[in-house]
Amino acid sequence: MSSEIKRIAVFTSGGDAPGMNAAIRAVVRTAAYHDLHVYGIQRGYEGMIDGDIQRLEPRDVGNIIHRGGTILKTARSQRFMTREGRQLAYESLQAHDIDACIAVGGNGTFTGATIFYREFQLPMIGIPGTIDNDLFGTDLTIGFDTAINTAVEAVDKIRDTADSHNRLFFVEVMGRNSGFIALNTAIGSGAGSVMIPEADQTIEQLLEMLRKSARRKKLFSLVIVAEGNPHGNANEIADKVREQFDIFDIKVTIIGHLQRGGAPSCHDRVLASRLGFASVGALLDGRKDVMVGIVNDKIRYTSFKDAIQKEKPLNEDLLRMAEILAI
Ligand code: F6P
């Protein structure tokens, strides 16, 4: 174990995700167990630049494991994208004698982390925290499980009213460039169809599916749309379908930021605790430029470069199953 690391900082960055607090708690308490001093940086890279950095003791992270959001706040920092911003951030860390950082976030967070490591050689470890689940090198990211449960609960409610009125609903869920949330929500809520970037389903294919359902006397329908769907968002798809399909009254619901909040599921709390615990171990083992993930129930380290650049494949079998179960 390396003895060079004495003081570490933890921060959350990018979109918040339920379970981030559980990760912070695990980092602080694991570090304390190893006699490391821990500092919390407020508002991600923004707070790093501004020197908004405070000591965190094990008791400071009591009573947070069940809370959504992040006690450290979060931000998407434009300033950190500049060399000047990163220089200021480095100086703030030096002023607190910080030897290494643990970043909880997604793609943008890790892009910043690896650039920062290459420029200043300050060890950076990433914990995958994003509801999108779109990071290579981990089966699941913190927040994803809670988000799909929230989305399914919402779709269950929409199902009741869709059924009562014989309506077709397009329900938009988050997932900027990926369909993990949409596909799992569709399967979990028993939706008729799902439109995601990975499958590239055309409007014509969707119309064909809707016509078939109508012929089978299906009286209402639910279509889950990922916000990053290449053929348009839920409103745009609904407009195109309305032009050619007048069997159903068509409505649109955008679940939006509702799916980013709320108490983390037990699965997310356990995942975040394991990743927080492992991230401190990674630093003590001398790792410097990696994301810690879990693959097949085992801790796995992936370079930030791969975590960001490699595409995480969607399970094609799930997609096919979703279509079959919706007939
Ligand atoms: O990356 C997580 C995410 O929730 C995406 O699904 C979504 O596109 C984006 O963040 C929204 O970000 P913001 O809250 O900054 O608008």
Side-chain angles (χ1 to χ4, degrees), residues 14-17 75-76 106-107 129-134 173-178 181 227-228 256-257 259-260:
D16 63 341
R76 300 190 195 277
N107 236 288
T130 163
I131 64 165
D132 288 359
N133 196 33
D134 59 350
V173 295
M174 279 188 171
R176 210 179 347 211
N177 303 309
S178 64
I181 297 178
E227 65 175 339
H257 287 79
Q259 69 210 287
R260 278 237 302 257

Side-chain angles (χ1 to χ4, degrees), residues 187-250:
I187 294 170
S189 65
S193 189
V194 58
M195 301 195 75
I196 56 178
E198 294 88 339
D200 203 19
Q201 188 190 17
T202 62
I203 302 291
E204 204 31 66
Q205 286 169 324
L206 174 68
L207 283 166
E208 192 41 43
M209 186 283 291
L210 291 170
R211 287 187 197 109
K212 266 195 204 156
S213 325
R215 281 199 293 273
R216 289 200 316 275
K217 306 267 179 288
K218 199 168 169 187
L219 295 175
F220 76 98
S221 210
L222 301 167
V223 178
I224 311 298
V225 182
E227 65 175 339
N229 178 58
H231 299 285
N233 59 31
N235 271 310
E236 289 161 346
I237 291 171
D239 286 344
K240 288 178 195 165
V241 170
R242 259 188 214 106
E243 283 167 16
Q244 302 187 53
F245 193 78
D246 56 5
I247 299 174
F248 290 120
D249 183 13
I250 295 175

Side-chain angles (χ1 to χ4, degrees), residues 8-9 11 41 48 93 98-103 122-125 283:
I8 68 169
F11 62 93
I41 304 174
M48 198 186 279
L93 294 177
I98 305 288
D99 303 312
C101 287
I102 295 178
L122 193 99
M124 303 288 283
I125 300 289
L283 274 180

